[in-house]
Amino acid sequence: MLSVNERSFELVKKLLSDPEKYKINIHKIKEATIIDCGVNVCGSWECAKLMTEILYGGLNKINYETFPLAIDDIYYNAVHVYSDYVVLQQAGCNISGWELKPGKFAPVLAGPGRLISRKDNDWFKKYSDYSDKYHKAILTAEMSRIPSENEVIDLIEASGVEAKDVYILVASSGSIACSVEVSARIIEQSLHRLKEEGFNLENIIEAHGFCVIPPVVKDDLLAMGRLNDCLIYGGQCTFTVDCEDIEISSIINKITSDKCKSYGAMFKDIYEENGCDFYKVPMEMYSPAKVVIINQKTGKIFKSGKINVEILSKSFNFFK
């Protein structure tokens, strides 16, 4: 059986081998290894690429490209992603559903390390019974500071491996690394909506997609808003599936962001309206801008949603 932690650790070793190249810092806290990819350092495009590939379980590479639509006459970078083990990679490694502590400004946790101990509050139990038996746990945390000793202890205990075998990659919302890896969640953002609408995920053969990468801003609230606006208004996911057409036609017009009541609002405003708690934001708001589904059984192509450069422009040009 594939071990996503074993494959991801090969990428972690690349980061550890050359901190200067990747513009990272390395810390030891309670014997765990903390890799600062964008808190007290700038990080880099190559660091962001490796961090994102870790969140894909080390099973697929990601590429950079130019976003195909101009936003205020500017062509921004985009991330192009591929997923051959869609449920394992997206729901198991990439989905930001492992909550360290509830409430305001709770750090967003993800990574293949969550698949070792399989905690009861982890969303992945709704998707699969997969469990990784590797002896090292690789995690990521989106937060604006290095984790405290108590937080690291919590993560060590939650991971179910020895402290020396825990690796935590940390980046703030206002960093290159976080900008890339969040935009790379365009498949994950689409996958959970398919499941919520009752689509059988076993029908999925593969997925790929692209999403604009926002301009970096150090203010975490503004950065977080831009990151989510990119997924909601600036990304497309394509699935190849094998099923009856009716299974697709019954859900295709329910899973994109333009079907949400709050469509047109910047995510920052929605987040603040819900007490700055990601887990209180209505789930349907975490929808992609556009979805394409190709049914290899019949050859028919379904599509829904749209890229909205007007809202992206508003988001990218909002300042305090």
Side-chain angles (χ1 to χ4, degrees):
M1 180 180 290
L2 288 171
S3 168
V4 287
N5 281 281
E6 182 176 8
R7 290 173 182 268
S8 295
F9 185 60
E10 294 302 311
L11 303 178
V12 170
K13 287 193 291 186
K14 286 186 178 182
L15 288 171
L16 297 177
S17 70
D18 201 342
E20 186 175 9
K21 171 185 175 180
Y22 295 110
K23 294 185 176 182
I24 62 173
N25 278 340
I26 300 167
H27 307 270
K28 288 286 186 179
I29 300 178
K30 293 297 181 180
E31 297 187 75
T33 301
I34 315 300
I35 305 174
D36 180 357
C37 298
V39 176
N40 298 318
V41 296
C42 293
S44 65
W45 287 104
E46 286 301 308
C47 167
K49 186 175 188 292
L50 287 176
M51 186 175 183
T52 302
E53 289 172 356
I54 286 167
L55 283 163
Y56 273 61
L59 296 171
N60 282 98
K61 300 293 185 182
I62 69 136
N63 296 319
Y64 296 124
E65 60 183 31
T66 301
F67 190 61
L69 301 174
I71 302 169
D72 286 333
D73 295 323
I74 298 172
Y75 286 91
Y76 288 95
N77 282 332
V79 61
H80 201 139
V81 292
Y82 312 85
S83 190
D84 291 310
Y85 299 85
V86 180
V87 172
L88 174 59
Q89 290 173 292
Q90 305 307 320
C93 303
N94 202 16
I95 199 167
S96 54
W98 204 22
E99 192 177 5
L100 183 62
K101 57 176 66 176
K104 191 173 183 179
F105 301 114
V108 179
L109 296 168
R114 65 200 290 184
L115 298 177
I116 295 176
S117 60
R118 297 300 306 272
K119 296 300 178 183
D120 289 340
N121 64 337
D122 196 334
W123 291 0
F124 191 56
K125 67 180 181 179
K126 300 177 182 178
Y127 292 82
S128 172
D129 60 0
Y130 171 93
S131 181
D132 197 343
K133 304 302 181 184
Y134 195 57
H135 64 284
K136 296 181 185 293
I138 320 300
L139 299 168
T140 68
E142 182 183 335
M143 53 197 305
S144 58
R145 54 179 173 75
I146 300 300
S148 67
E149 287 192 359
N150 286 338
E151 288 170 331
V152 171
I153 290 170
D154 287 344
L155 281 172
I156 292 169
E157 292 176 351
S159 298
V161 300
E162 293 186 30
K164 65 181 179 61
D165 291 323
V166 174
Y167 297 81
I168 307 168
L169 286 69
V170 186
S172 67
S173 299
S175 67
I176 296 172
C178 198
S179 296
V180 172
E181 61 97 349
V182 172
S183 290
R185 287 183 182 152
I186 188 63
I187 300 176
E188 175 256 298
Q189 183 108 336
S190 309
L191 183 73
H192 82 84
R193 291 296 294 122
L194 287 176
K195 181 170 179 59
E196 288 158 8
E197 294 300 333
F199 187 76
N200 183 356
L201 302 186
E202 292 184 2
N203 293 334
I204 298 173
I205 307 300
E206 65 83 33
H208 55 277
F210 67 89
C211 186
V212 64
I213 300 170
V216 174
V217 57
K218 283 296 183 182
D219 183 279
D220 277 331
L221 182 59
L222 292 181
M224 179 277 305
R226 289 181 181 182
L227 292 171
N228 283 277
D229 286 335
C230 286
L231 294 168
I232 297 167
Y233 301 110
Q236 173 182 301
C237 179
T238 299
F239 293 96
T240 301
V241 304
D242 192 321
C243 62
E244 300 302 326
D245 284 340
I246 186 63
E247 297 179 68
I248 305 170
S249 61
S250 64
I251 56 92
I252 188 66
N253 289 314
K254 300 178 182 179
I255 58 176
T256 49
S257 60
D258 59 335
K259 310 303 188 297
C260 302
K261 292 180 180 179
S262 299
Y263 185 80
M266 292 192 300
F267 186 84
K268 180 189 76 68
D269 297 333
I270 298 169
Y271 181 66
E272 290 180 313
E273 289 170 3
N274 286 275
C276 296
D277 188 339
F278 282 108
Y279 303 95
K280 291 182 180 178
V281 174
M283 286 303 297
E284 63 268 18
M285 201 60 227
Y286 296 110
S287 298
K290 188 172 183 178
V291 173
V292 177
I293 301 180
I294 302 167
N295 190 358
Q296 70 174 22
K297 185 172 185 177
T298 66
K300 191 168 182 179
I301 301 172
F302 300 78
K303 62 182 179 180
S304 180
K306 59 186 177 181
I307 304 292
N308 191 325
V309 295
E310 288 78 15
I311 304 300
L312 291 171
S313 173
K314 183 179 178 182
S315 177
F316 292 180
N317 287 286
F318 182 86
F319 308 100
K320 276 191 172 180

